[in-house]
Amino acid sequence: MIPWLRRFCALLCLLLVLSPAVAYAEPTEEARALWVVRTDMYSKANIDFMFNLAKAMGANVLIVQVTAGGETVVRSELYPRSPHVVQGFDPLAYVIELAHAEGIEVHAWIN
């Protein structure tokens, strides 16, 4: 057998043996996510209540709905801001500030 072909076959066999172990590695941490609808983001009081509930439930990920129904709770050039959000208040920034202080991930969701 040609020497380079022997090395190639050996490498190919090694990759085939190791690839399932890499492909099916266990995640390092379990995701315990909580879906947060935009109506829970209208004020600091609503967010504080939701956030305390999320912590009590052991959530480590918040999936925050920021846009739906043709309006948004964040600053946007595409959608009008919800009239229910307190003027000058940035709900997403506030959620991120609280969550990161507790080691909780935040993912914004747009409908």
PDB file of all heavy atoms in Angstrom, residues 80-101:
ATOM      1  N   PRO A  80     -43.576  51.626  15.924  1.00  0.00           N
ATOM      2  CA  PRO A  80     -43.880  52.663  16.920  1.00  0.00           C
ATOM      3  C   PRO A  80     -43.731  52.098  18.328  1.00  0.00           C
ATOM      4  O   PRO A  80     -43.958  50.913  18.556  1.00  0.00           O
ATOM      5  CB  PRO A  80     -45.332  53.026  16.613  1.00  0.00           C
ATOM      6  CG  PRO A  80     -45.903  51.857  15.895  1.00  0.00           C
ATOM      7  CD  PRO A  80     -44.754  51.207  15.171  1.00  0.00           C
ATOM      8  N   ARG A  81     -43.367  52.958  19.241  1.00  0.00           N
ATOM      9  CA  ARG A  81     -43.206  52.548  20.634  1.00  0.00           C
ATOM     10  C   ARG A  81     -44.581  52.377  21.272  1.00  0.00           C
ATOM     11  O   ARG A  81     -45.499  53.147  21.032  1.00  0.00           O
ATOM     12  CB  ARG A  81     -42.401  53.595  21.388  1.00  0.00           C
ATOM     13  CG  ARG A  81     -41.990  53.151  22.769  1.00  0.00           C
ATOM     14  CD  ARG A  81     -40.928  54.105  23.283  1.00  0.00           C
ATOM     15  NE  ARG A  81     -40.700  53.930  24.690  1.00  0.00           N
ATOM     16  CZ  ARG A  81     -39.664  53.286  25.197  1.00  0.00           C
ATOM     17  NH1 ARG A  81     -38.777  52.763  24.391  1.00  0.00           N
ATOM     18  NH2 ARG A  81     -39.497  53.169  26.489  1.00  0.00           N
ATOM     19  N   SER A  82     -44.706  51.365  22.093  1.00  0.00           N
ATOM     20  CA  SER A  82     -45.963  51.108  22.785  1.00  0.00           C
ATOM     21  C   SER A  82     -46.325  52.300  23.671  1.00  0.00           C
ATOM     22  O   SER A  82     -45.478  52.798  24.414  1.00  0.00           O
ATOM     23  CB  SER A  82     -45.848  49.852  23.643  1.00  0.00           C
ATOM     24  OG  SER A  82     -46.990  49.712  24.450  1.00  0.00           O
ATOM     25  N   PRO A  83     -47.577  52.731  23.630  1.00  0.00           N
ATOM     26  CA  PRO A  83     -47.986  53.850  24.487  1.00  0.00           C
ATOM     27  C   PRO A  83     -48.029  53.458  25.970  1.00  0.00           C
ATOM     28  O   PRO A  83     -48.127  54.329  26.831  1.00  0.00           O
ATOM     29  CB  PRO A  83     -49.386  54.205  23.971  1.00  0.00           C
ATOM     30  CG  PRO A  83     -49.881  52.967  23.309  1.00  0.00           C
ATOM     31  CD  PRO A  83     -48.672  52.267  22.763  1.00  0.00           C
ATOM     32  N   HIS A  84     -47.950  52.173  26.268  1.00  0.00           N
ATOM     33  CA  HIS A  84     -48.010  51.699  27.647  1.00  0.00           C
ATOM     34  C   HIS A  84     -46.672  51.804  28.384  1.00  0.00           C
ATOM     35  O   HIS A  84     -46.635  51.723  29.605  1.00  0.00           O
ATOM     36  CB  HIS A  84     -48.490  50.244  27.691  1.00  0.00           C
ATOM     37  CG  HIS A  84     -49.805  50.039  27.023  1.00  0.00           C
ATOM     38  ND1 HIS A  84     -50.979  50.514  27.541  1.00  0.00           N
ATOM     39  CD2 HIS A  84     -50.123  49.424  25.864  1.00  0.00           C
ATOM     40  CE1 HIS A  84     -51.988  50.191  26.736  1.00  0.00           C
ATOM     41  NE2 HIS A  84     -51.480  49.535  25.707  1.00  0.00           N
ATOM     42  N   VAL A  85     -45.573  51.979  27.642  1.00  0.00           N
ATOM     43  CA  VAL A  85     -44.251  52.062  28.261  1.00  0.00           C
ATOM     44  C   VAL A  85     -44.043  53.481  28.780  1.00  0.00           C
ATOM     45  O   VAL A  85     -44.311  54.457  28.082  1.00  0.00           O
ATOM     46  CB  VAL A  85     -43.132  51.694  27.248  1.00  0.00           C
ATOM     47  CG1 VAL A  85     -41.755  51.858  27.871  1.00  0.00           C
ATOM     48  CG2 VAL A  85     -43.326  50.281  26.749  1.00  0.00           C
ATOM     49  N   VAL A  86     -43.562  53.588  30.006  1.00  0.00           N
ATOM     50  CA  VAL A  86     -43.295  54.886  30.620  1.00  0.00           C
ATOM     51  C   VAL A  86     -42.283  55.650  29.762  1.00  0.00           C
ATOM     52  O   VAL A  86     -41.268  55.085  29.345  1.00  0.00           O
ATOM     53  CB  VAL A  86     -42.753  54.684  32.060  1.00  0.00           C
ATOM     54  CG1 VAL A  86     -42.382  56.005  32.696  1.00  0.00           C
ATOM     55  CG2 VAL A  86     -43.752  53.920  32.897  1.00  0.00           C
ATOM     56  N   GLN A  87     -42.568  56.915  29.484  1.00  0.00           N
ATOM     57  CA  GLN A  87     -41.675  57.732  28.660  1.00  0.00           C
ATOM     58  C   GLN A  87     -40.280  57.798  29.269  1.00  0.00           C
ATOM     59  O   GLN A  87     -40.120  57.950  30.483  1.00  0.00           O
ATOM     60  CB  GLN A  87     -42.243  59.150  28.516  1.00  0.00           C
ATOM     61  CG  GLN A  87     -43.427  59.247  27.598  1.00  0.00           C
ATOM     62  CD  GLN A  87     -43.081  58.884  26.158  1.00  0.00           C
ATOM     63  OE1 GLN A  87     -41.972  59.142  25.677  1.00  0.00           O
ATOM     64  NE2 GLN A  87     -44.018  58.256  25.475  1.00  0.00           N
ATOM     65  N   GLY A  88     -39.260  57.674  28.404  1.00  0.00           N
ATOM     66  CA  GLY A  88     -37.877  57.759  28.842  1.00  0.00           C
ATOM     67  C   GLY A  88     -37.337  56.482  29.467  1.00  0.00           C
ATOM     68  O   GLY A  88     -36.174  56.429  29.860  1.00  0.00           O
ATOM     69  N   PHE A  89     -38.157  55.451  29.571  1.00  0.00           N
ATOM     70  CA  PHE A  89     -37.754  54.186  30.189  1.00  0.00           C
ATOM     71  C   PHE A  89     -37.394  53.190  29.103  1.00  0.00           C
ATOM     72  O   PHE A  89     -38.126  53.031  28.127  1.00  0.00           O
ATOM     73  CB  PHE A  89     -38.897  53.652  31.054  1.00  0.00           C
ATOM     74  CG  PHE A  89     -38.645  52.309  31.667  1.00  0.00           C
ATOM     75  CD1 PHE A  89     -37.525  52.073  32.439  1.00  0.00           C
ATOM     76  CD2 PHE A  89     -39.550  51.276  31.480  1.00  0.00           C
ATOM     77  CE1 PHE A  89     -37.297  50.824  33.007  1.00  0.00           C
ATOM     78  CE2 PHE A  89     -39.332  50.028  32.039  1.00  0.00           C
ATOM     79  CZ  PHE A  89     -38.204  49.806  32.805  1.00  0.00           C
ATOM     80  N   ASP A  90     -36.258  52.511  29.253  1.00  0.00           N
ATOM     81  CA  ASP A  90     -35.820  51.480  28.307  1.00  0.00           C
ATOM     82  C   ASP A  90     -35.951  50.113  28.987  1.00  0.00           C
ATOM     83  O   ASP A  90     -35.060  49.695  29.726  1.00  0.00           O
ATOM     84  CB  ASP A  90     -34.384  51.724  27.874  1.00  0.00           C
ATOM     85  CG  ASP A  90     -33.916  50.794  26.775  1.00  0.00           C
ATOM     86  OD1 ASP A  90     -34.580  49.758  26.533  1.00  0.00           O
ATOM     87  OD2 ASP A  90     -32.880  51.084  26.159  1.00  0.00           O
ATOM     88  N   PRO A  91     -37.077  49.422  28.761  1.00  0.00           N
ATOM     89  CA  PRO A  91     -37.318  48.155  29.451  1.00  0.00           C
ATOM     90  C   PRO A  91     -36.255  47.091  29.186  1.00  0.00           C
ATOM     91  O   PRO A  91     -35.853  46.389  30.116  1.00  0.00           O
ATOM     92  CB  PRO A  91     -38.671  47.703  28.903  1.00  0.00           C
ATOM     93  CG  PRO A  91     -39.315  48.928  28.369  1.00  0.00           C
ATOM     94  CD  PRO A  91     -38.204  49.796  27.910  1.00  0.00           C
ATOM     95  N   LEU A  92     -35.801  46.980  27.951  1.00  0.00           N
ATOM     96  CA  LEU A  92     -34.815  45.949  27.634  1.00  0.00           C
ATOM     97  C   LEU A  92     -33.492  46.214  28.358  1.00  0.00           C
ATOM     98  O   LEU A  92     -32.887  45.295  28.908  1.00  0.00           O
ATOM     99  CB  LEU A  92     -34.597  45.841  26.132  1.00  0.00           C
ATOM    100  CG  LEU A  92     -33.663  44.730  25.665  1.00  0.00           C
ATOM    101  CD1 LEU A  92     -34.152  43.360  26.121  1.00  0.00           C
ATOM    102  CD2 LEU A  92     -33.496  44.761  24.155  1.00  0.00           C
ATOM    103  N   ALA A  93     -33.059  47.450  28.376  1.00  0.00           N
ATOM    104  CA  ALA A  93     -31.814  47.788  29.083  1.00  0.00           C
ATOM    105  C   ALA A  93     -31.942  47.468  30.568  1.00  0.00           C
ATOM    106  O   ALA A  93     -30.994  46.965  31.180  1.00  0.00           O
ATOM    107  CB  ALA A  93     -31.473  49.256  28.870  1.00  0.00           C
ATOM    108  N   TYR A  94     -33.104  47.731  31.141  1.00  0.00           N
ATOM    109  CA  TYR A  94     -33.321  47.453  32.562  1.00  0.00           C
ATOM    110  C   TYR A  94     -33.295  45.948  32.844  1.00  0.00           C
ATOM    111  O   TYR A  94     -32.675  45.502  33.808  1.00  0.00           O
ATOM    112  CB  TYR A  94     -34.640  48.073  33.017  1.00  0.00           C
ATOM    113  CG  TYR A  94     -34.901  47.948  34.491  1.00  0.00           C
ATOM    114  CD1 TYR A  94     -34.050  48.534  35.428  1.00  0.00           C
ATOM    115  CD2 TYR A  94     -36.005  47.253  34.960  1.00  0.00           C
ATOM    116  CE1 TYR A  94     -34.288  48.423  36.790  1.00  0.00           C
ATOM    117  CE2 TYR A  94     -36.251  47.135  36.326  1.00  0.00           C
ATOM    118  CZ  TYR A  94     -35.391  47.717  37.229  1.00  0.00           C
ATOM    119  OH  TYR A  94     -35.630  47.603  38.572  1.00  0.00           O
ATOM    120  N   VAL A  95     -33.945  45.166  31.990  1.00  0.00           N
ATOM    121  CA  VAL A  95     -33.934  43.706  32.153  1.00  0.00           C
ATOM    122  C   VAL A  95     -32.511  43.171  32.038  1.00  0.00           C
ATOM    123  O   VAL A  95     -32.085  42.334  32.834  1.00  0.00           O
ATOM    124  CB  VAL A  95     -34.857  43.015  31.121  1.00  0.00           C
ATOM    125  CG1 VAL A  95     -34.639  41.520  31.096  1.00  0.00           C
ATOM    126  CG2 VAL A  95     -36.309  43.328  31.405  1.00  0.00           C
ATOM    127  N   ILE A  96     -31.768  43.661  31.054  1.00  0.00           N
ATOM    128  CA  ILE A  96     -30.382  43.210  30.861  1.00  0.00           C
ATOM    129  C   ILE A  96     -29.542  43.546  32.084  1.00  0.00           C
ATOM    130  O   ILE A  96     -28.744  42.726  32.556  1.00  0.00           O
ATOM    131  CB  ILE A  96     -29.788  43.815  29.573  1.00  0.00           C
ATOM    132  CG1 ILE A  96     -30.457  43.191  28.360  1.00  0.00           C
ATOM    133  CG2 ILE A  96     -28.273  43.632  29.524  1.00  0.00           C
ATOM    134  CD1 ILE A  96     -30.114  43.871  27.042  1.00  0.00           C
ATOM    135  N   GLU A  97     -29.713  44.750  32.625  1.00  0.00           N
ATOM    136  CA  GLU A  97     -28.962  45.157  33.811  1.00  0.00           C
ATOM    137  C   GLU A  97     -29.239  44.231  34.990  1.00  0.00           C
ATOM    138  O   GLU A  97     -28.317  43.756  35.652  1.00  0.00           O
ATOM    139  CB  GLU A  97     -29.352  46.595  34.172  1.00  0.00           C
ATOM    140  CG  GLU A  97     -28.687  47.145  35.403  1.00  0.00           C
ATOM    141  CD  GLU A  97     -29.213  48.529  35.748  1.00  0.00           C
ATOM    142  OE1 GLU A  97     -29.501  49.313  34.826  1.00  0.00           O
ATOM    143  OE2 GLU A  97     -29.347  48.817  36.950  1.00  0.00           O
ATOM    144  N   LEU A  98     -30.515  43.948  35.254  1.00  0.00           N
ATOM    145  CA  LEU A  98     -30.881  43.050  36.355  1.00  0.00           C
ATOM    146  C   LEU A  98     -30.351  41.637  36.117  1.00  0.00           C
ATOM    147  O   LEU A  98     -29.786  41.014  37.012  1.00  0.00           O
ATOM    148  CB  LEU A  98     -32.401  42.994  36.516  1.00  0.00           C
ATOM    149  CG  LEU A  98     -33.117  44.243  37.009  1.00  0.00           C
ATOM    150  CD1 LEU A  98     -34.627  44.026  36.978  1.00  0.00           C
ATOM    151  CD2 LEU A  98     -32.664  44.604  38.403  1.00  0.00           C
ATOM    152  N   ALA A  99     -30.567  41.144  34.906  1.00  0.00           N
ATOM    153  CA  ALA A  99     -30.217  39.759  34.596  1.00  0.00           C
ATOM    154  C   ALA A  99     -28.712  39.519  34.657  1.00  0.00           C
ATOM    155  O   ALA A  99     -28.265  38.526  35.227  1.00  0.00           O
ATOM    156  CB  ALA A  99     -30.768  39.382  33.223  1.00  0.00           C
ATOM    157  N   HIS A 100     -27.952  40.393  34.068  1.00  0.00           N
ATOM    158  CA  HIS A 100     -26.504  40.186  34.048  1.00  0.00           C
ATOM    159  C   HIS A 100     -25.910  40.264  35.447  1.00  0.00           C
ATOM    160  O   HIS A 100     -24.919  39.589  35.736  1.00  0.00           O
ATOM    161  CB  HIS A 100     -25.840  41.164  33.097  1.00  0.00           C
ATOM    162  CG  HIS A 100     -26.074  40.806  31.655  1.00  0.00           C
ATOM    163  ND1 HIS A 100     -25.519  41.496  30.618  1.00  0.00           N
ATOM    164  CD2 HIS A 100     -26.803  39.816  31.084  1.00  0.00           C
ATOM    165  CE1 HIS A 100     -25.889  40.948  29.470  1.00  0.00           C
ATOM    166  NE2 HIS A 100     -26.673  39.926  29.732  1.00  0.00           N
ATOM    167  N   ALA A 101     -26.506  41.056  36.325  1.00  0.00           N
ATOM    168  CA  ALA A 101     -26.041  41.118  37.709  1.00  0.00           C
ATOM    169  C   ALA A 101     -26.243  39.781  38.423  1.00  0.00           C
ATOM    170  O   ALA A 101     -25.531  39.462  39.376  1.00  0.00           O
ATOM    171  CB  ALA A 101     -26.769  42.231  38.460  1.00  0.00           C
TER     172      ALA A 101
END
